[in-house]
Amino acid sequence: DPLVRVATIEALGDIEDYRAGRSLTEALSDKDLTVRRAAAKALGEIGDTTTVPALAAAYASLDPHLCFAVIKALADMDDRRVSVTLALAKKDRDRIVRHTASEALKDREDDDD
């Protein structure tokens, strides 16, 4: 049941336990879009940089809500690989995704100064 999976994923995100990274990464491939969005959000809350490749792959989704969740998740991760996906997202077809990626890149540049 997708609602049960979403509730479980949200709980894992709330406790911010890195051990949940693998399960949440697998949920990025769930057949239900709502589950995939929840997984991206939870991974962002946890901040486990080992999940960057899986999040970057999920960005290829055609769903703007999932793309937004992925960009939000990546935005706060301290990993050089994140910048590649954020740069791609600056050219996304969705205005909100583009804006979020641009702000995240700007924040990263400000942190480097």
Side-chain angles (χ1 to χ4, degrees):
D1 177 18
L3 292 176
V4 172
R5 292 195 304 275
V6 167
T8 302
I9 287 167
E10 288 174 347
L12 290 171
D14 288 344
I15 61 172
E16 298 180 13
D17 188 337
Y18 281 82
R19 293 175 294 180
R22 183 175 182 176
S23 296
L24 294 172
T25 298
E26 290 172 7
L28 287 172
S29 300
D30 194 275
K31 63 185 176 191
D32 187 274
L33 184 56
T34 307
V35 172
R36 293 194 306 267
R37 288 183 205 151
K41 182 176 185 256
L43 286 168
E45 291 169 352
I46 292 171
D48 180 1
T49 58
T50 65
T51 65
V52 168
L55 283 163
Y59 172 73
S61 167
L62 297 177
D63 178 72
H65 299 287
L66 178 55
C67 290
F68 175 75
V70 166
I71 296 307
K72 289 288 287 180
L74 291 172
D76 293 327
M77 290 190 181
D78 188 23
D79 189 297
R80 301 177 91 200
R81 298 171 293 175
V82 168
S83 296
V84 174
T85 304
L86 293 177
L88 287 172
K90 279 180 59 174
K91 299 175 183 172
D92 196 272
R93 65 190 167 281
D94 184 85
R95 169 180 67 80
I96 296 171
V97 172
R98 286 192 310 268
H99 175 76
T100 304
S102 294
E103 289 297 311
L105 282 169
K106 181 179 177 242
D107 290 345
R108 293 175 86 71
E109 290 169 5
D110 290 345
D111 289 343
D112 289 341
D113 292 340

